[in-house]
Amino acid sequence: MNLYLRYFDKEALVYSVDEAIEFLRAIPEIGMNAALEADIREYAASDVFYPKRYKVRTRVYFIIIKTTAETMLDFKQKKAMRPIPPATADRRDLAASAMTKLTEIHPGWHEGALDFKRVVTIPSTGKHEYRDTHFEVRCKANSGQDCYNRMVEYLRDRVDSRSQFPSAKGKNFSFRYLGMWK
């Protein structure tokens, strides 16, 4: 990994941390010290790829950028950019695949987990409040949607009718297919 450094119109593409520190020592305004040197070495050794800027004085900084560019020309023409993985699907595709997974028919045992708002009575005051409640179950169902419906149907008979259940499509419901029943 190479480092690109810039302070106003002074810039360099170096191939090691030692070269970067040498470059910065040659600029008297920066005031290279042991703490700054240690921080630069730590940044170069880390997995962080974001540019790092260091304050020299009020509103004056120098920057360091990690790059795979071999020459300054490659860096300037952005030929050594880190590859950005292509977007596999947009939100609609992800929502469609989640909905498809939910309605896929797999008769057998399913394990479902549901986080919902349960209405409980506070004994000391007699008032009611919502409490986050986690409920897990293993049941026989034909699909993830069927598992959700069975869970909610079971809970509606056992908790206050004002309790709030999340959508089966939301992040507060998850399920896993365990296998066929015997």
Side-chain angles (χ1 to χ4, degrees):
M1 188 64 51
N2 301 326
L3 299 170
Y4 169 79
L5 297 100
R6 187 178 75 219
Y7 177 71
F8 288 110
D9 61 341
K10 298 174 179 120
E11 62 183 359
L13 181 70
V14 296
Y15 305 100
S16 70
V17 179
D18 294 326
E19 289 178 37
I21 291 169
E22 262 182 55
F23 172 77
L24 294 171
R25 280 203 174 116
I27 304 170
E29 299 95 46
I30 290 179
M32 193 67 173
N33 58 32
L36 183 59
E37 182 178 336
D39 195 54
I40 291 170
R41 288 185 188 280
E42 183 181 325
Y43 169 71
S46 72
D47 293 334
V48 175
F49 281 91
Y50 294 107
K52 180 127 184 193
R53 69 180 192 167
Y54 292 91
K55 189 171 189 171
V56 176
R57 59 182 182 276
T58 308
R59 290 185 266 172
V60 176
Y61 300 87
F62 72 89
I63 64 164
I64 299 177
I65 300 173
K66 289 183 180 180
T67 181
T68 56
E70 292 298 320
T71 66
M72 185 67 83
L73 183 63
D74 287 348
F75 179 78
K76 295 285 184 171
Q77 293 178 348
K78 298 181 181 174
K79 289 183 181 175
M81 296 291 289
R82 281 191 327 137
I84 298 170
T88 54
D90 64 357
R91 282 188 183 172
R92 281 175 273 141
D93 290 343
L94 291 174
S97 68
M99 192 60 192
T100 304
K101 188 177 175 187
L102 188 65
T103 57
E104 239 173 38
I105 301 296
H106 287 293
W109 286 98
H110 287 76
E111 182 177 69
L114 182 70
D115 294 320
F116 68 102
K117 301 280 187 191
R118 182 178 186 175
V119 174
V120 293
T121 305
I122 303 169
S124 60
T125 61
K127 294 185 178 181
H128 298 84
E129 73 176 11
Y130 286 104
R131 288 231 176 109
D132 290 331
T133 306
H134 182 77
F135 180 69
E136 285 187 29
V137 68
R138 288 183 178 173
C139 66
K140 290 182 179 179
N142 292 319
S143 66
Q145 183 68 49
D146 188 32
C147 176
Y148 172 82
N149 293 340
R150 287 173 185 254
M151 290 174 71
V152 171
E153 183 180 320
Y154 176 85
L155 288 169
R156 285 200 196 278
D157 296 338
R158 288 162 178 79
V159 297
D160 192 294
S161 62
R162 294 171 288 179
S163 297
Q164 298 174 354
F165 298 101
S167 167
K169 301 174 223 169
K171 65 180 180 179
N172 290 325
F173 171 68
S174 61
F175 71 96
R176 188 167 60 113
Y177 178 66
L178 300 175
M180 283 296 289
W181 56 60
K182 292 184 180 182

